[in-house]
Amino acid sequence: MVFRLRRCFWVVACACLVSPPSWADGLPQADALGWLQRIASAARHLNYAGTFVYQQGDAVETSRIVHLVEGNNEMERLESLDGPRREVIRNNEMVYSYQPDSRSFRMDRRKPGRTFPQLLPDQLTAVTDHYVVKKAEVERVAEHDAQALVLEPRDGMRYGHKFWADVQTGLLLKAKMLGDRSQVIEQFAFTQVQIGGQISRHLLAPSVPITAPATEISAEAAPAESEWVLKSMPPGFRKILETRRSKDGSASITIIHMVLSDGLAAVSVFIEPTRPRVMEGLVQRGPINIYTRIVGDQRITALGEAPAATVMNIANGLSPKAR
């Protein structure tokens, strides 16, 4: 989890399904998989601590991260360094979110998603199937030599990426998401990082002791198999999560939440009862495209850091199961 509430909130270009000839110059799949597996493994199995910056447009956020692995236990603490104080402490799959200023506390299980520097999934074959991986320059990032890798999408249904991995350990030090004109949509970058060595376990402790009166345990959404069918979706995408929860405490009103991903891009879908005068169509907020359509008395909203054609394809592919 990263301290950013993504800016979730017209032109729809036809997705080009033919790869430009230059994309054929990528690494052999085995070499590409090797690099990506090294990056994915380093973020999960190494000890590291540092400060990184997240930038999207004019918005810049700075965070500090500490990540320790002891045996089978993976522990992490993330805190914001600007704006309201926010902390996230993770012990394996349990995530504790804390805002010291308001003394609010939430506990959840970790949801599928991307967090820096853990941006790559464990299963990487789908990534190399739908992105061409190219080796680029070696640069200095946060005082470490870093090998750059460019991931170019094979079609117009996903954005590109550029990663910089520490030459010695493979830890991801910098990452950019790139649009169809190679413009930077968003980026993460360590400004200082210690990899390995003595990293104190005390750095995982919250800045303010968490006391019982200040806690609030969030209600988990229940895993669900909805009454909706995805009749089509963009190549490479698959459903990785589906939950159902009540809305505003009413058991009779439910919201279905699905997450679809190709391993890098992720699109969320929300299905809920529609309200009067809800507008259908597409809107864009920074790198996030949001598409809404009405089916009967239900509103489908698909949103994600993906091209407009992708979120529209997913939303339009949903239909109720035949009764």
Side-chain angles (χ1 to χ4, degrees):
M1 171 179 180
V2 163
F3 293 121
R4 55 195 167 104
L5 297 177
R6 299 274 181 116
R7 286 71 175 165
C8 296
F9 342 149
W10 289 54
V11 177
V12 180
C14 291
C16 177
L17 300 178
V18 179
S19 303
S22 63
W23 294 357
D25 299 331
L27 293 171
Q29 187 178 46
D31 293 344
L33 272 172
W35 269 104
L36 297 179
Q37 286 168 346
R38 192 175 180 219
I39 293 171
S41 176
R44 291 165 175 79
H45 298 113
L46 293 179
N47 293 343
Y48 50 88
T51 302
F52 67 85
V53 173
Y54 168 74
Q55 184 172 7
Q56 183 189 104
D58 295 331
V60 179
E61 299 174 11
T62 309
S63 302
R64 180 184 294 126
I65 188 170
V66 179
H67 181 271
L68 294 179
V69 177
E70 294 180 352
N72 293 326
N73 290 325
E74 183 185 2
M75 300 164 287
E76 187 174 274
R77 178 171 178 257
L78 189 64
E79 63 176 322
S80 62
L81 299 183
D82 42 32
R85 292 195 298 167
R86 293 160 294 178
E87 299 179 23
V88 174
I89 297 172
R90 179 170 66 86
N91 190 337
N92 295 321
E93 298 305 309
M94 293 307 301
V95 179
Y96 307 86
S97 305
Y98 186 48
Q99 298 185 36
D101 295 338
S102 62
R103 297 182 63 77
S104 64
F105 171 74
R106 292 174 62 88
M107 181 174 68
D108 296 279
R109 287 197 176 275
R110 191 181 191 187
K111 305 293 193 300
R114 304 180 311 139
T115 61
F116 183 79
Q118 295 188 20
L119 296 184
L120 288 172
D122 292 323
Q123 300 299 321
L124 292 161
T125 304
V127 175
T128 54
D129 284 346
H130 298 284
Y131 297 84
V132 174
V133 182
K134 295 182 178 181
K135 216 171 180 182
E137 70 281 359
V138 174
E139 293 184 356
R140 291 279 286 170
V141 178
E143 299 186 291
H144 293 261
D145 289 331
Q147 174 65 60
L149 298 171
V150 178
L151 280 68
E152 294 182 340
R154 296 181 185 271
D155 57 36
M157 306 299 279
R158 58 209 95 226
Y159 292 136
H161 298 267
K162 189 171 183 178
F163 295 147
W164 286 259
D166 178 49
V167 168
Q168 297 298 320
T169 65
L171 183 68
L172 187 63
L173 301 177
K174 184 177 177 180
K176 291 183 179 182
M177 181 184 291
L178 305 171
D180 55 3
R181 297 181 302 279
S182 297
Q183 76 276 22
V184 177
I185 295 174
E186 67 175 17
Q187 65 177 325
F188 297 89
F190 274 113
T191 57
Q192 175 277 324
V193 64
Q194 175 188 341
I195 306 173
Q198 292 297 316
I199 299 176
S200 173
R201 203 176 191 277
H202 295 296
L203 295 175
L204 295 168
S207 60
V208 177
I210 298 173
T211 57
T215 65
E216 174 186 328
I217 300 178
S218 65
E220 278 193 46
E225 191 61 41
S226 75
E227 298 179 353
W228 292 79
V229 178
L230 275 160
K231 293 187 174 179
S232 66
M233 67 180 78
F237 280 80
R238 63 182 183 90
K239 184 170 66 175
I240 61 173
L241 174 73
E242 181 172 344
T243 61
R244 181 192 303 266
R245 63 179 174 83
S246 61
K247 182 176 183 179
D248 300 328
S250 172
S252 62
I253 303 175
T254 60
I255 299 176
I256 296 169
H257 177 209
M258 301 178 185
V259 178
L260 296 92
S261 177
D262 70 348
L264 282 177
V267 175
S268 281
V269 179
F270 297 91
I271 305 172
E272 58 188 307
T274 190
R275 300 191 303 268
R277 296 182 295 278
V278 169
M279 298 295 292
E280 295 183 278
L282 178 76
V283 295
Q284 186 176 37
R285 296 291 181 267
I288 295 178
N289 281 294
I290 308 163
Y291 179 66
T292 302
R293 65 183 286 243
I294 307 298
V295 179
D297 61 353
Q298 299 291 300
R299 178 172 82 250
I300 300 174
T301 303
L303 60 93
E305 290 180 329
T310 303
V311 297
M312 293 180 69
N313 181 296
I314 290 171
N316 289 329
L318 274 164
S319 62
K321 283 183 180 177
R323 295 181 183 275

